[in-house]
Structure formats: structure tokens, C-alpha cells
Amino acid sequence: MSNLDISGQHKKKAGRVVYDNPSAAPQESLHWKRLEDRHQTGDAVIQTHEELIVAFASDVDSLKSINHKENYIKLAIWSGIIGYCEALATHKDARYALFPISLDSIRGMVDNDFLPLLNQAQADTTTLNKNGQNAKTQEGESIHRKTVRAVANAIWKRAQNKKSSMQDELHANSLYTCLCGDVDSKSLDCFGSALLVVIGMNILGFESSCLTLSEDHAYESHLELEDEDNPANNDQQSSSKKRATCEVAIPGNTKAAQSKRGKEISCTFEQLKRDNITAETSWLYMAKNPVLCDTPGMALSAVVSNLNCDIDKQKPGADGGKPHVVSRSLYQMKRDMLWVLHGSGYMTRFPFALMELGECEEHFSSKKGMEWVDVSELFESNGTLVLRNEKLFLDAICVSRTLYGDAQVYPYLYAGHYHKDAGRDDPRQEYRLVESLRLYAEATRAASAYRYDTKDCLQLMEHMTTVASLISKDILLLPQNGGGNGKDCRTWQRRENAIAAATWLMGFFDSLLFWEEHEQSSFVEVLSIQHKHSVGKLFRLFSVDVRAEAIAKIHSHKETSDNVSAITEDQLIYFGRPRSKRLEPGSLLVMALSKGKVSVRELEMALISNGEGRSTRQRKRPRV
């Protein structure tokens, strides 16, 4: 999956985003010239955004056909088109308009480059019987797993893989990047490699091959068949069949890297010898709840959702005030493509796609996104209306809860940012700041269900740190009157909002504290007393009487509204029943937060044992 750029999302409003709209003709670009040998007189050319969406909608509609191979060839073509457009519009130095797009040139890239690459990879597999039927290797591997490895190796060999790490690689998630990455010295990222392997496997006839996604990783999965003699007959909907997995996002072209591809994820954990974590308890693999893109339409939704509209390699100003530059044309294209997929029903099981469409609507609202829709069933009241844009975030949360065991963190973060921006920019909607804190607390609750591992949870920890910063800057502080760079504590319009906000801030920290206690390890950066957004520093931004009432609320043992989906202007709910021992009534931390002058020391933050041994005040410095 593409990484969630939390640090960038809060810049959408108040002039913090610059929308780039280049006018230079794409014919002047190196990308056009890269495909020039495929341009021919009479080629199908897309001249406008409207023509592009019509062509896209036509192909989306055709995915309902039973021609499985053709459907995945179309998926490859659209990965090429989207990647080509992304390359045109996001270069840090030279950017171009998207139109015209030579559609036949992209098709030629698929026909003349990608399909031969796949056919050669299949030919290179040597585990076929003389009669052409599938066989097992000496190591007991199926032809499916061996073909995955061959396809993945061929794709990585073709990609401009100049680095051993995919970290920080942007705009590297498409077929175009794989085949034409030499133009911008781009390689492939995790999502791009898994996507192309799955497209390739389906084109080669392995119809159970499925793009499988967590919140920060992508890999291949397929039906574990007793009889693999005919992979084309695999029934994707056969629920009685167990799914096997293949790791493919291993960068590099060394023999060691090649040998790791195609292996079961559990084997990867065994080789790494990480005793405290398994595939079933890992956030990177979303435990047992990954998203299976088991139709071409759902896989296409993943392709569009992972389109990155940020301009490449931006460096923020020293004061963080430098505007964030994004591509206007890409946001418009991404938004309208996602609405087509949404209307065709391909996003109903896909929280990430729903969130990304909501995020697009925040940048460029459409008539559809600004429609009012009834969500009474979610709010336990009659006649509750919200903008369809907001409902997209609500739908993402509901899908995550009902289909994926509430194992996703990002739906809560996206929704939290949405309400934070609305409440920050409009004092009349102060209650939405409380709702954003509630959603951030839900995010830490979901995160705390995983076992902690430094590498596995690296992105997750960065998100928690960034959220703490956003809470401070955008919710608890306000710009000083009279200008300047200083900040003042927020003056809450309604006292009850301040109290509820303080309870949900405790909820945010409660799950982080509980997570450490469960792991018996100090690893959360913002729980360090030295951190600028630590527990003590953030609670100082509330008055002593508000803190006192908030602490009384969380320990009141009154029933909380667990079945209520959101805080509204007419319905305020509070966090209650903390799980952390450090937030128990009368604990050192609670007493410190109750005082007129908040002073939280190492003693108050000492990790409380689970009944064995003594508490510890030592903290491990998070490894990066």
C-alpha cells in the first residue's frame, strides 16, 4: 500500500496547498519521447479529461465480462496510463499537461514489452512435466509459487532497481514505472511490484492470484489447491479453500533477493527470527485481515487509489510554512475515476479506496461529494444528514469494522483529519474537534491490538507521533492574536466540549500506555517526558478544572456510548474505562495531571509490570 502521508493531509486548507497546473505540452517531455517509437498515424488519442473518464468508464463496465485474461490486460493498460500521467505531472523540475494521451502507445507498451516478459518468465519455469501438466519442485513448491517467483524476478530485473531499499520511493507503483523508469531513474515500490506480479499471474492463467493488501504492504495470495493440474479452473469464490501467500516486494537482483520471492510470509518471519511477532500478529500484514482484491475491478480500485498527486521530492521550509505543492490535474483524474469505480460497486469492500476518494473530495469537491445524504442508521437518530464526502469516511470505518475485524488504523486517522480541519477552520463547529480526538483515540486503540516490533511498526509509530503534533498545533493551540508565529491555548466556546476533548485525549494516550504495558517495553516516542508533545505538555493546555472534570468522567464507570458512531452537535460522548494501569484512579500519572501545574516525571511514566518483577523507569530510544 502507499504510505499514509499524515503530515501532508493537514495542509489542505487555509492556503497551505498550492495546486500545480502546468501548461507545457506533453510532446515536449522525455516521457512522450520514450514512447515515441510506438506513436503511429491514426493512433487512438485521448484529448481531454472528459474523454479519459469516458474511456475509463467503458473499460470498467467491460470488466463484468467473463474474459479473465482480457480484463487483466485492461488493468495493465490502465496502470500504464495512470503511471504515465503521474510521471508527467509530478517531476520536481519539469512538469507537463496530461493531454493528449496516446492510448495506442500505452497499449503497445503492454503488448510489446509486458506480455513478452511474462511469457518468457513462464517459459523459464522448469517444473513442467513432459505432458505439460503442473508438477512439484524437489522442494515441494507448486508450479504456482515457482511461477510467482519467475514473474517477480523478471519484473524486478526490468525495473530500474538501483537501490536495495524501496523506502521513500515515490511515484513508483505502476507498469509505466517498471518499463520506463529509466526516464526519471525510478524503480518500483512495494505496491507496484505486487500489483504487476498479480496482473501477470492472471494473464498467464493463474486466476486465483490475488493482490493482497495491508495498510502498509502488498503481496500475492492464491488458493492453496489440492489438485493444481489446471490453474485456470481455480474458483476464486471457493471459501472452503485455504489461501497461500507469496512475498514478492523484495528489491534487488541478487541471488539472495531472488530466492526470497515467492515464499510464504510465515517463512519470511521464521528466517528473520523475530520471536515476538508472527504474520498473524503483525500490523504490516494486518494480522489475519488483509484486503483481498479478488476481482479485476477491485484491483483497478487499488491502482487508482495509489495514485500519488504530490510533486516529487519537496523540502518543507525551515518554519514548516512552505506550501505543499500537488497536481491539480491528477487529483481531478483520481477523483473522477474513483467515482466511476464507486458507482460500479468495486469499492464496497475497500476502506482505502473509500478514504482516498474522500480525500480527493477535500481537495476538489464535486457535485456528488457535496450532496447531503441520510446516515440516521449510523447516528441512532432520525433525519441525520451529512455530506457524501463525510459519509465516505464513515463507510470506510464501517467496512473495516464489519469485514476486517476492526484491524485498520487508517480509516480513523483519515476521518480524524477531516473533522479536525472542519472544526479548526470554523469555530461554529467546535464539536468536530472533539470528534477528531475521539477518532484519533480509536486509531490508537486499533493499533494497540498488534504485537510491537520495531521494523514492523515503524510507519505506525511515525503516524502516532505526527498525530500528537497535529493535536497540539491544530486542536489545542491557536495562532496568537495580532499575528506572529506564536500560539495561544484554545479558548473553548463550550465548556462541555473542552471536557469531552480532554477525555478523548486521555483515550488517545490510554491505548498507547496500555500497548507498552502489554508488551512490557517502552517504545512509544510521545510517551517520553522529553517529547515536545508528551502527555504532560498536551494536558497543560487545558485548565485545571477541565482536567479535573475529565478525570472524573473517565473513572465514573458510567456506560459509554459504544454503539454511537460519531459525536454530533447534539450528541456529546466521553471517553471512559481506561485500560492502562498508569491511568487508574489514584495513580501517580493521574495525580500529576490533576494538579494546577502539570509536571510529569519519569516516576509517573514508569512502566508498570504485569505482576512479575518491578516497574521500570528506563525508556528505550526508538530505533529508526
Side-chain angles (χ1 to χ4, degrees):
M1 295 289 286
S2 62
N3 294 339
L4 170 62
D5 182 13
I6 296 176
S7 60
Q9 289 201 17
H10 72 286
K11 302 171 184 173
K12 286 180 228 153
K13 299 182 181 180
R16 287 183 251 189
V17 171
V18 172
Y19 294 98
D20 189 55
N21 195 23
S23 58
Q27 292 91 332
E28 301 173 14
S29 72
L30 293 176
H31 298 287
W32 183 278
K33 293 178 173 59
R34 182 69 170 78
L35 299 176
E36 200 164 29
D37 59 335
R38 296 184 177 85
H39 296 314
Q40 297 180 12
T41 304
D43 274 358
V45 175
I46 297 174
Q47 298 285 358
T48 65
H49 171 81
E50 290 73 21
E51 288 182 13
L52 178 69
I53 300 305
V54 168
F56 182 77
S58 176
D59 277 357
V60 168
D61 187 61
S62 72
L63 295 179
K64 299 170 185 175
S65 73
I66 60 174
N67 193 325
H68 196 81
K69 179 177 179 179
E70 286 300 318
N71 286 341
Y72 275 88
I73 289 176
K74 287 177 183 175
L75 186 56
I77 291 171
W78 281 105
S79 177
I81 292 171
I82 290 169
Y84 167 75
C85 291
E86 191 171 335
L88 281 176
T90 58
H91 194 278
K92 63 185 177 70
D93 297 321
R95 296 184 289 280
Y96 304 88
L98 301 185
F99 304 101
I101 300 171
S102 177
L103 184 56
D104 283 345
S105 295
I106 304 294
R107 288 172 177 159
M109 183 176 69
V110 173
D111 292 339
N112 301 323
D113 292 334
F114 188 54
L115 295 184
L117 178 149
L118 298 177
N119 292 331
Q120 184 60 51
Q122 189 173 44
D124 288 343
T125 58
T126 58
T127 56
L128 294 177
N129 288 334
K130 292 181 180 180
N131 61 3
Q133 293 180 330
N134 298 339
K136 301 279 186 176
T137 66
Q138 291 181 354
E139 296 81 13
E141 285 187 327
S142 68
I143 186 63
H144 187 117
R145 195 174 293 280
K146 189 170 181 64
T147 306
V148 165
R149 181 179 294 115
V151 171
N153 287 343
I155 286 169
W156 279 108
K157 185 176 181 180
R158 178 60 189 266
Q160 301 299 305
N161 184 38
K162 298 178 180 179
K163 301 178 182 178
S164 61
S165 173
M166 296 174 289
Q167 192 172 8
D168 299 327
E169 187 81 75
L170 300 177
H171 313 297
N173 53 14
S174 69
L175 178 65
Y176 180 80
T177 308
C178 175
L179 300 179
C180 303
D182 55 309
V183 176
D184 286 337
S185 298
K186 294 285 186 182
S187 181
L188 275 178
D189 66 5
C190 166
F191 173 82
S193 59
L195 170 72
L196 297 186
V197 168
V198 168
I199 291 176
M201 291 296 291
N202 279 276
I203 290 174
L204 293 176
F206 294 86
E207 295 187 6
S208 81
S209 183
C210 177
L211 179 64
T212 308
L213 304 173
S214 72
E215 295 192 284
D216 201 47
H217 193 50
Y219 52 99
E220 193 267 0
S221 70
H222 56 277
L223 294 178
E224 190 176 68
L225 303 169
E226 295 177 1
D227 180 5
E228 295 182 324
D229 284 349
N230 191 355
N233 290 334
N234 295 351
D235 181 8
Q236 188 76 288
Q237 305 302 321
S238 178
S239 59
S240 62
K241 297 289 187 179
K242 181 182 177 182
R243 296 201 75 86
T245 60
C246 287
E247 189 71 272
V248 295
I250 309 291
N253 283 311
T254 64
K255 287 185 178 180
Q258 292 175 3
S259 66
K260 293 177 183 177
R261 298 179 191 130
K263 289 191 174 181
E264 187 75 30
I265 287 171
S266 58
C267 295
T268 303
F269 278 88
E270 290 173 5
Q271 291 176 346
L272 293 174
K273 297 180 179 179
R274 290 149 82 176
D275 297 333
N276 65 317
I277 191 170
T278 65
E280 289 74 25
T281 60
S282 159
W283 172 72
L284 199 59
Y285 293 89
M286 224 165 85
K288 297 180 180 180
N289 298 284
V291 176
L292 300 177
C293 297
D294 53 6
T295 66
M298 199 168 174
L300 183 55
S301 298
V303 172
V304 179
S305 299
N306 275 274
L307 196 166
N308 187 334
C309 303
D310 287 358
I311 305 305
D312 210 357
K313 296 181 180 177
Q314 297 179 67
K315 294 182 179 180
D319 60 354
K322 185 177 179 180
H324 192 67
V325 186
V326 299
S327 168
R328 179 187 181 90
S329 54
L330 286 183
Y331 263 118
Q332 185 183 15
M333 182 178 81
K334 180 176 180 178
R335 181 198 68 188
D336 292 349
M337 285 182 170
L338 285 175
W339 275 125
V340 170
L341 292 159
H342 185 277
S344 297
Y346 290 123
M347 291 164 49
T348 56
R349 296 184 287 117
F350 202 168
F352 180 66
L354 294 166
M355 293 183 286
E356 284 293 303
L357 177 53
E359 206 254 355
C360 288
E361 283 288 337
E362 285 194 80
H363 281 278
F364 288 105
S365 298
S366 65
K367 289 183 179 179
K368 182 173 264 186
M370 294 299 289
E371 291 174 352
W372 291 94
V373 293
D374 193 313
V375 290
S376 299
E377 74 281 2
L378 298 178
F379 289 83
E380 296 185 341
S381 61
N382 294 324
T384 302
L385 300 177
V386 300
L387 292 174
R388 191 181 298 277
N389 185 11
E390 179 178 344
K391 189 174 185 298
L392 291 168
F393 297 117
L394 292 171
D395 287 343
I397 291 172
C398 290
V399 172
S400 176
R401 285 176 173 173
T402 56
L403 297 184
Y404 302 106
D406 202 14
Q408 297 194 18
V409 176
Y410 288 175
Y412 295 115
L413 295 181
Y414 272 73
H417 303 328
Y418 175 80
H419 286 285
K420 172 184 63 64
D421 289 343
R424 179 196 63 206
D425 296 335
D426 186 354
R428 296 169 300 177
Q429 300 193 58
E430 184 181 76
Y431 72 93
R432 297 181 75 169
L433 298 177
V434 184
E435 172 66 353
S436 68
L437 285 166
R438 185 189 73 83
L439 290 161
Y440 292 149
E442 293 282 15
T444 59
R445 176 192 55 76
S448 67
Y450 293 99
R451 293 300 310 272
Y452 175 76
D453 176 83
T454 304
K455 292 183 179 179
D456 190 89
C457 297
L458 177 61
Q459 288 292 332
L460 202 52
M461 288 295 99
E462 290 180 359
H463 295 334
M464 296 302 116
T465 301
T466 305
V467 166
S469 173
L470 296 179
I471 290 172
S472 174
K473 293 188 298 183
D474 290 348
I475 297 178
L476 302 182
L477 292 172
L478 286 172
Q480 282 182 344
N481 292 328
N485 294 324
K487 294 271 190 175
D488 289 325
C489 294
R490 175 176 294 278
T491 301
W492 294 83
Q493 305 298 311
R494 289 184 58 201
R495 178 181 173 79
E496 283 302 310
N497 285 340
I499 296 168
T503 70
W504 288 111
L505 182 59
M506 288 188 187
F508 172 79
F509 283 111
D510 173 61
S511 288
L512 298 177
L513 291 162
F514 173 80
W515 198 4
E516 284 194 341
E517 291 162 12
H518 182 261
E519 295 290 329
Q520 283 296 286
S521 174
S522 299
F523 54 82
V524 180
E525 185 179 4
V526 295
L527 294 184
S528 167
I529 62 170
Q530 285 83 25
H531 196 274
K532 62 180 179 180
H533 303 304
S534 65
V535 178
K537 294 182 177 69
L538 290 191
F539 274 98
R540 287 174 196 163
L541 303 178
F542 290 102
S543 65
V544 62
D545 56 324
V546 166
R547 280 185 272 120
E549 288 200 45
I551 291 170
K553 285 277 189 186
I554 70 170
H555 293 141
S556 67
H557 301 293
K558 290 183 180 179
E559 287 295 320
T560 57
S561 302
D562 292 334
N563 296 323
V564 177
S565 296
I567 289 170
T568 66
E569 191 169 9
D570 301 320
Q571 183 171 267
L572 202 61
I573 55 179
Y574 305 85
F575 170 71
R577 298 188 298 233
R579 296 181 294 166
S580 169
K581 293 181 180 180
R582 285 174 279 184
L583 284 179
E584 289 179 345
S587 68
L588 294 176
L589 179 56
V590 166
M591 287 192 290
L593 297 177
S594 303
K595 294 179 180 179
K597 183 178 180 181
V598 177
S599 177
V600 176
R601 304 162 297 168
E602 289 285 0
L603 181 63
E604 284 79 26
M605 296 302 295
L607 187 62
I608 298 175
S609 72
N610 284 331
E612 297 181 6
R614 299 178 59 189
S615 301
T616 176
R617 299 184 215 170
Q618 293 184 334
R619 301 194 65 83
K620 296 178 182 177
R621 185 181 297 276
R623 290 178 291 172
V624 192

